């Protein structure tokens, strides 16, 4: 079966600065650099994000590989900790600025649309240390100054700006589940950090729209809840509200989710709602997995956590990515597209991250190339549902695979590989995997044949 996308549909790949650039000695410490320096045992095999993909020194090679993959578009992020020599006084790091200017210029010269994100979980450490990170209003103001500097320095190269990548993935782990640095655990911290990030997003969007004319949006991760029984309906609603709608609603509908505010009130959580909402031009949705949710059966926390109302589980028989423990449900792409179409005014959007992480991928090496047919199948399955939604009027303009080159992945470091291009950590060789040839044809021709189950 031929699956056709519109001619102007953009097929690309996403990555981020802290996961690829390396050259940590040419910047100030981010929370990741600090955490790795002080607690390397937290990271898989004690590997840090330096040199990662060494993109700081090898960006020309990377751009050549992007050209080989025939990417229509590419997203990366600017590291706040590379732009300022001192993020408190805002003194510019000229070296960092010329790196990004050269890198971005090369991407544009390769005829690839450039999407640039301003925050990919990488707060400069000094802002955590001095002010308590996203719990502080001061950090909101400093983020806005950082955004203004980036707009001024790089707008000529950028096609689409993104204020934040997956704010919830970050705040959930950093302020709520005590999972990544600064390792807070508390619903109030989560509420406050999210609200401050929302404020920072709105201020950056407002400034950009008044002064520049490209497009600006935000990238949100969606973990759509799946419930299997009627009695779990409210559990599903609370999950959706606390994980998905905190940003979706204010960013697109320009209002807070009412259930969210009600639950906060009921549990005496404090929030200072923002009053100025500024429209975005598009939204990016990262989708990896849905989450099965049911009524909480065993709440043991003292104090209020949203899981007072729900628990997550994986029902027997559900297909999962065994390396990551994530459910694989391609049809949810269609549901997301429909939700955006029907409940969020059919705003312009793209599937900004989707992909498959595989551990020990070298075991699929044959004739000098990783034979990742499973990845091609994974992409086809998801795109099948996306194409169906586009045909039914979903305003989706693109798909970005996570990721371009196998990169550093937070606490998992290089355990799971997602790339179109493999990175050999011993020889440092970067080489297209088999799937990259499928993806290249797709980016050029905008159609594919399959997937196998259709
Ligand atoms: C997203 C992040 C990416 C990337 C990806 C893969 O949530 O935006 O930075 O890491 O997930 O997940 P992981 O690296 O945890 O396997």
């Amino acid at each position: 079966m031929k699956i056709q996308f519109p001619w102007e549909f953009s097929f690309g790949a996403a990555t981020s600065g802290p996961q690829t650039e390396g050259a940590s000695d040419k910047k100030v410490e981010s929370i990741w650099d600090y955490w790795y320096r002080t607690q390397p045992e937290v990271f898989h095999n004690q590997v840090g994000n330096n040199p990662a993909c060494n993109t700081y020194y090898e960006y020309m090679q990377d751009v050549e590989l992007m050209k080989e993959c025939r990417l229509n578009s590419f997203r990366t992020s600017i590291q706040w900790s590379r732009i300022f020599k001192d993020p408190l006084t805002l003194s510019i790091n000229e070296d960092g600025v010329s790196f990004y200017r050269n890198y971005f210029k090369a991407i544009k010269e390769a005829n690839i649309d450039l999407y640039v994100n301003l925050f990919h979980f990488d707060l400069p450490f000094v802002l955590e240390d001095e002010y308590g990170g996203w719990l502080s209003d001061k950090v909101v103001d400093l983020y806005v100054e950082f955004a203004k500097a980036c707009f001024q320095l790089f707008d000529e190269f950028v096609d689409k700006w993104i204020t934040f990548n997956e704010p919830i993935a970050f705040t959930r782990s950093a302020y709520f589940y005590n999972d990544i640095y600064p390792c807070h655990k508390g619903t109030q911290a989560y509420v406050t950090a999210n609200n401050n990030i929302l404020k920072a997003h709105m201020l950056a969007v407002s400034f950009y729209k008044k002064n520049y004319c490209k497009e600006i949006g935000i990238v949100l991760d969606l973990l759509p809840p799946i419930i299997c029984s009627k009695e779990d309906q409210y559990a599903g609603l609370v999950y959706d509200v606390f994980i998905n709608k905190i940003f979706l609603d204010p960013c697109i509908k320009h209002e807070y989710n009412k259930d969210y505010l009600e639950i906060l009130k009921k549990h005496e959580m404090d929030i200072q709602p923002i009053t100025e909402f500024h429209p975005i031009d598009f939204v990016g949705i990262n989708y990896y997995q849905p989450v099965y949710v049911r009524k909480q059966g065993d709440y043991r926390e003292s104090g209020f956590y949203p899981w007072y109302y729900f628990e997550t589980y994986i029902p027997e028989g559900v297909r999962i990515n065994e390396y990551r423990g994530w459910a694989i449900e391609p049809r949810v792409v269609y549901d997301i597209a429909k939700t955006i179409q029907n409940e969020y005014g059919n705003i312009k959007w793209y599937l900004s991250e989707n992909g498959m992480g595989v551990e020990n991928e070298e075991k699929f090496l044959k004739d000098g190339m990783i034979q990742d047919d499973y990845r091609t199948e994974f992409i086809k399955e998801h795109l099948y549902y996306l194409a169906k939604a586009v045909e039914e009027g979903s305003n989706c303009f693109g798909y970005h695979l996570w990721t371009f080159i196998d990169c550093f992945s937070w606490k998992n470091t290089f355990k799971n590989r997602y790339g179109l291009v493999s990175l050999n950590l011993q020889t440092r060789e970067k080489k297209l995997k088999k799937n990259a040839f499928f993806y290249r044809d797709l980016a050029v021709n905008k159609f594919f044949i399959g997937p196998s189950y259709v």
Side-chain angles (χ1 to χ4, degrees):
M1 184 182 185
K2 184 174 176 187
I3 310 292
Q4 181 79 53
F5 282 86
W7 190 243
E8 60 287 359
F9 201 84
S10 192
F11 287 102
T15 193
S16 80
Q19 292 174 272
T20 53
E21 289 168 12
S24 321
D25 56 330
K26 302 259 180 202
K27 59 190 254 324
V28 294
E29 270 188 334
S30 71
I31 50 175
W32 291 93
D33 303 313
Y34 171 81
W35 200 22
Y36 178 68
R37 180 165 62 76
T38 52
Q39 273 182 284
E41 67 281 3
V42 166
F43 294 80
H44 180 71
N45 288 343
Q46 305 218 12
V47 175
N49 71 346
N50 197 34
C53 307
N54 209 20
T55 296
Y56 178 89
Y57 293 107
E58 294 176 11
Y59 67 88
M60 283 309 287
Q61 185 195 353
D62 289 6
V63 174
E64 280 310 310
L65 291 163
M66 284 177 209
K67 288 203 287 203
E68 272 187 55
C69 294
R70 301 290 293 270
L71 298 186
N72 309 144
S73 50
F74 175 73
R75 166 167 70 111
T76 188
S77 70
I78 295 175
Q79 294 196 72
W80 192 341
S81 54
R82 200 182 286 292
I83 289 300
F84 296 120
K85 273 197 277 195
D86 180 354
L88 298 176
T89 62
L90 310 178
S91 56
I92 292 280
N93 172 8
E94 295 298 345
D95 178 86
V97 170
S98 35
F99 160 66
Y100 287 117
R101 288 186 68 86
N102 294 335
Y103 180 26
F104 293 170
K105 189 160 171 261
I107 293 171
K108 288 311 296 169
E109 282 172 358
N111 227 348
I112 295 168
D113 285 347
L114 176 62
Y115 304 179
V116 173
N117 165 33
L118 294 173
F119 188 84
H120 205 118
F121 314 161
D122 57 332
L123 192 72
F125 172 68
V126 66
L127 303 187
E128 183 60 52
D129 195 36
E130 194 80 15
Y131 298 117
W134 285 108
L135 300 181
S136 156
D137 279 348
K138 185 72 190 163
V139 170
V140 173
D141 298 341
L142 289 169
Y143 169 87
V144 177
E145 293 309 315
F146 163 59
K148 285 181 185 171
C150 291
F151 298 150
Q152 196 197 346
L153 291 162
F154 310 116
D155 190 62
E156 63 186 290
F157 305 113
V158 177
D159 295 287
K160 294 191 196 313
W161 285 101
I162 289 154
T163 54
F164 287 87
N165 173 75
E166 297 192 348
I168 288 288
F170 176 66
T171 55
R172 205 176 49 217
S173 302
Y175 295 100
F176 192 33
Y177 283 139
N178 177 20
D179 188 37
I180 64 169
Y181 195 83
C183 305
H184 281 281
K185 188 172 183 225
T187 305
Q188 183 60 62
Y190 178 68
V191 170
T192 304
N194 283 326
N195 211 47
N196 280 337
I197 290 179
L198 189 62
K199 208 184 293 176
H201 159 83
M202 292 298 171
L203 290 170
V205 169
S206 154
F207 178 85
Y208 187 81
K209 296 305 264 181
K210 277 187 201 131
N211 296 284
Y212 298 88
C213 55
K214 309 275 185 58
E215 294 190 322
I216 188 163
I218 188 166
V219 165
L220 305 175
D221 51 321
L222 281 202
L223 293 140
I226 299 185
I227 52 164
C228 299
S229 132
K230 244 189 157 181
E231 61 161 18
D232 296 325
Q233 220 155 13
Y234 191 67
L237 178 143
V238 178
Y239 185 90
D240 208 19
V241 158
F242 269 87
I243 300 297
N244 298 320
K245 295 195 167 166
I246 292 186
F247 282 89
L248 260 184
D249 285 14
C251 290
I252 305 177
K253 291 184 176 170
H254 310 140
E255 61 186 18
Y256 285 85
N257 180 279
K258 293 195 178 48
D259 293 308
Y260 177 59
L261 292 182
E262 254 170 43
I263 298 169
L264 292 186
K265 196 165 165 211
K266 181 166 169 204
H267 292 278
E268 298 177 350
M269 296 286 126
D270 187 33
I271 185 166
Q272 314 287 323
I274 60 165
T275 48
E276 277 195 43
F277 299 89
H278 299 280
I280 44 178
D281 299 303
F282 67 93
V283 64
I285 301 293
N286 292 354
Y287 170 70
Y288 289 89
Q289 54 162 341
V291 173
Y292 288 86
V293 177
R294 65 184 170 207
K295 221 162 80 180
Q296 176 59 265
D298 188 21
Y299 187 75
R300 285 160 188 246
E301 307 281 358
S302 63
F304 169 67
Y305 288 92
W307 51 92
Y308 175 78
Y309 293 101
F310 62 75
E311 61 186 18
T312 60
Y313 69 109
I314 299 199
E316 244 175 75
V318 164
R319 190 174 144 210
I320 60 164
N321 171 353
E322 58 183 295
Y323 311 104
R324 203 62 186 79
W326 290 347
I328 301 180
E329 299 274 12
R331 67 177 171 82
V332 172
V333 169
Y334 178 80
D335 300 340
I336 289 176
K338 285 313 216 192
T339 304
I340 295 175
Q341 188 171 358
N342 300 330
E343 291 173 34
Y344 290 91
N346 207 12
I347 186 174
K348 194 167 154 180
W349 74 286
Y350 80 115
L351 191 47
S352 39
E353 277 184 37
N354 176 235
M356 187 181 185
V358 173
E359 194 172 349
N360 295 326
E361 209 173 29
E362 350 34 280
K363 68 175 178 252
F364 299 104
L365 191 68
K366 203 176 143 213
D367 305 328
M369 182 183 282
I370 305 278
Q371 309 287 318
D372 53 345
D373 300 274
Y374 42 85
R375 182 165 287 113
T376 304
E377 195 59 21
F378 178 97
I379 295 171
K380 283 182 175 182
E381 287 182 278
H382 287 77
L383 286 181
Y384 165 76
Y385 286 102
L386 189 59
K388 185 167 144 72
V390 171
E391 212 179 289
E392 291 174 18
S394 168
N395 201 0
C396 178
F397 64 86
Y399 174 89
H400 275 189
L401 184 71
W402 183 270
T403 183
F404 171 48
I405 299 178
D406 289 343
C407 65
F408 170 86
S409 240
W410 318 114
K411 276 162 63 180
N412 278 333
T413 68
F414 282 91
K415 180 161 138 330
N416 300 313
R417 306 304 183 91
Y418 289 82
L420 285 168
V421 175
S422 59
L423 170 65
N424 183 316
L425 290 181
Q426 276 74 48
T427 62
R428 307 295 309 170
E429 188 192 18
K430 295 173 177 172
K431 196 165 178 216
L432 267 58
K433 299 180 193 172
K434 185 176 174 198
N435 171 61
F437 294 90
F438 157 76
Y439 204 68
R440 181 172 79 176
D441 289 348
L442 176 64
V444 173
N445 300 319
K446 318 285 178 175
F447 75 85
F448 65 91
I449 306 295
S452 54
Y453 64 77
V454 176

